[in-house]
Amino acid sequence: MEYRLDCQYFLGDKPCKFLERCTCQHFSPRGPRILIIKLGALGDVLRTTPLLPALRTAHPTAQISWVTHPSAMELLDKNPMIDRLLPMDFHTCAFLGAEEFDLVLSLDKDPAGAALASALKAKTKNGFGWSAQGAVYPLDEKSHYAYFLGIDNELKFKTNQKTYQQIIFEMCDLPYANEEYQWELAEADAQTAKLWAKGSGFDRRRPTVGLNTGWGEMFAGKGWKEEKWENLIYALQGFDVNVVLLGGTRETDLNTRLFLRNRGRGSLHNSGNNNTLGQFSALVDFCDLVVTGDTFGMHVAIARKKKVVALFGSTCPQEIELYGRGVKLFTTELPCEPCYKKECDHSIHEECLKRITVEQVMAAIQGLLPLTAIVRKEQPPAQRQQQREERPERQEHQFRRP
């Protein structure tokens, strides 16, 4: 009995979809075999997806495989441009070692991903590998620029003006034409978000601003402080607008406090903090604009083609592609920023993000999203807090009055 390993429909362990022997008229030769290695972080995985349509254009018949961290599988598992999605684990490394690829795109400086790229058999390898001396190194000349961004602070912090997408497209020898993120909502996630909106009394006739209050722990100076978020909520409640609190499990307490202190004025909604990645994306989809730090939530908003006001502290704003739909806010007054440090060792701790004001954020919002002002009498949070602190002293003074 004959079999055709070179047919794109051949599976090997079971009949193909045509249920015929390998000499059938449906034979179609396999195209180029391409492997993408991009493990994390979640936002980086999402902003690597613009490569997929460009790869499909350059290699229409290619079989595209992608290896990623198990936590990022949900971001890619519904993508029709990926033929095979694999978790980074022992079994994946074992059977990939027996295969051969036409092109390996190793886009992660993670030692495990780089080592896998170096160990695989491939005609061409672009990106990063793992040297015999135990260090990441560029596998090809096109990846030199991306490589030196990681070891040359002057290049990364001051000189570079390229976005992440421009950089990885250069690594992959592909022309960059502003390809967008590739992430579609699952119907089940969209329905879950609709049920939340119905249960919370969400009025979709109003414009909606999402406040993504969280930030990642990898770098210092990525999170705006609680009082800033509260004052921004108060400012937004002066307009006819929905305000939605967004975040993950780390923001549960913060968002609960913000909601309870401010729910009596305007349309404020807490979207919850135990959502899956898909459910979180569906909630972001309700927003017209999202205010966010340099976090996964920012990348979700970009992927869903929302207007974005992005706040930057210790990371580089120039590497973020907003596709003409957003504003980046950052300061240039401190000699230490950006720094990409895990902990801030400056005497004015995380001052880089503190210097972004509520007034700047509101100006950016109003420049992107038309808002209608409403009349109100409530005092700003800072003034209310001052009065609460002064009240006990006044009461004591009145008690002592003869």
Side-chain angles (χ1 to χ4, degrees):
M1 182 181 297
E2 295 183 12
Y3 55 89
R4 298 295 303 267
L5 294 173
D6 57 338
C7 178
Q8 65 170 309
Y9 303 116
F10 184 77
L11 301 174
D13 60 336
K14 57 186 176 182
C16 75
K17 65 180 183 179
F18 299 109
L19 300 177
E20 296 185 32
R21 295 194 174 187
C22 285
T23 54
C24 77
Q25 72 272 21
H26 300 293
F27 170 78
S28 178
R30 293 186 186 273
R33 305 189 74 238
I34 299 174
L35 176 67
I36 300 171
I37 302 174
K38 183 62 185 177
L39 307 184
L42 294 178
D44 285 347
V45 170
L46 200 53
R47 66 173 173 167
T48 301
T49 58
L51 276 177
L52 293 169
L55 282 172
R56 282 295 177 201
T57 299
H59 309 282
T61 62
Q63 181 196 55
I64 298 178
S65 301
W66 189 317
V67 178
T68 193
H69 191 276
S71 64
M73 296 282 284
E74 186 181 347
L75 302 177
L76 304 171
D77 63 355
K78 300 292 192 301
N79 196 307
M81 297 186 187
I82 300 174
D83 297 297
R84 187 173 57 162
L85 179 62
L86 303 167
M88 182 62 179
D89 58 23
F90 172 79
H91 298 286
T92 294
C93 295
F95 69 74
L96 287 183
E99 299 184 16
E100 184 172 349
F101 295 90
D102 295 283
L103 175 62
V104 169
L105 302 175
S106 176
L107 307 177
D108 211 318
K109 291 182 179 178
D110 180 278
L116 175 61
S118 291
L120 292 176
K121 297 186 289 288
K123 295 176 183 177
T124 303
K125 296 180 182 182
N126 292 25
F128 308 117
W130 190 254
S131 73
Q133 293 76 29
V136 174
Y137 75 103
L139 290 167
D140 65 301
E141 186 175 349
K142 299 180 186 68
S143 302
H144 281 190
Y145 187 86
Y147 179 72
F148 281 104
L149 276 178
I151 60 176
D152 185 335
N153 285 348
E154 182 66 24
L155 175 63
K156 185 171 183 67
F157 299 154
K158 307 299 181 183
T159 306
N160 176 58
Q161 295 301 314
K162 297 178 182 179
T163 65
Y164 173 85
Q165 283 85 340
Q166 289 175 300
I167 293 165
I168 62 170
F169 271 67
E170 288 180 7
M171 292 173 66
C172 300
D173 198 22
L174 292 169
Y176 178 55
N178 290 320
E179 284 84 354
E180 297 268 0
Y181 290 43
Q182 303 294 310
W183 192 21
E184 295 300 322
L185 287 179
E187 182 59 30
D189 294 329
Q191 290 302 321
T192 298
K194 288 178 181 178
L195 288 174
W196 166 83
K198 184 177 180 180
S200 65
F202 191 86
D203 186 354
R204 299 199 69 176
R205 294 170 296 181
R206 294 172 170 165
T208 299
V209 175
L211 305 183
N212 184 43
T213 61
W215 62 93
E217 296 180 296
M218 183 172 291
F219 303 113
K222 292 185 72 173
W224 223 24
K225 299 306 179 185
E226 183 171 344
E227 60 268 21
K228 297 273 193 177
W229 289 115
E230 181 156 9
N231 281 298
L232 178 59
I233 291 169
Y234 174 81
L236 285 168
Q237 288 175 328
F239 297 87
D240 187 24
V241 60
N242 296 312
V243 181
V244 178
L245 298 174
L246 303 164
T249 54
R250 291 180 62 242
E251 289 73 57
T252 301
D253 291 342
L254 169 61
N255 284 4
T256 299
R257 290 193 301 270
L258 291 172
F259 178 71
L260 292 177
R261 288 201 298 260
N262 298 280
R263 62 180 174 175
R265 305 181 316 274
S267 179
L268 179 65
H269 305 272
N270 190 353
S271 65
N273 302 95
N274 292 296
N275 301 297
T276 66
L277 300 182
Q279 290 166 351
F280 179 82
S281 178
L283 290 165
V284 169
D285 218 40
F286 277 102
C287 302
D288 298 291
L289 180 148
V290 176
V291 181
T292 176
D294 181 8
T295 68
F296 172 69
M298 176 189 70
H299 293 289
V300 172
I302 297 170
R304 300 309 304 159
K305 299 183 179 180
K306 303 301 174 182
K307 296 175 182 179
V308 175
V309 177
L311 316 179
F312 292 89
S314 61
T315 55
C316 293
Q318 63 267 32
E319 293 184 15
I320 301 300
E321 176 67 81
L322 295 181
Y323 297 97
R325 298 188 291 267
V327 174
K328 303 173 188 178
L329 295 179
F330 54 95
T331 62
T332 58
E333 303 170 3
L334 300 175
C336 59
E337 62 172 331
C339 66
Y340 278 84
K341 291 184 177 180
K342 296 185 182 299
E343 294 184 5
C344 180
D345 55 9
H346 202 275
S347 58
I348 41 179
H349 182 61
E350 297 184 5
E351 186 71 20
C352 51
L353 208 60
K354 290 179 183 177
R355 294 193 179 199
I356 299 175
T357 68
V358 172
E359 290 74 20
Q360 288 175 306
V361 175
M362 281 301 301
I365 292 172
Q366 290 174 285
L368 293 168
L369 188 68
L371 298 178
T372 302
I374 58 177
V375 178
R376 65 181 180 189
K377 298 179 180 180
E378 292 89 349
Q379 297 171 328
Q383 189 171 347
R384 295 199 310 272
Q385 176 65 27
Q386 183 179 358
Q387 289 186 353
R388 284 197 297 267
E389 292 173 352
E390 293 174 350
R391 190 175 299 121
E393 182 178 346
R394 291 200 305 271
Q395 291 174 346
E396 182 181 3
H397 179 73
Q398 292 171 358
F399 179 78
R400 289 178 179 177
R401 184 176 297 167

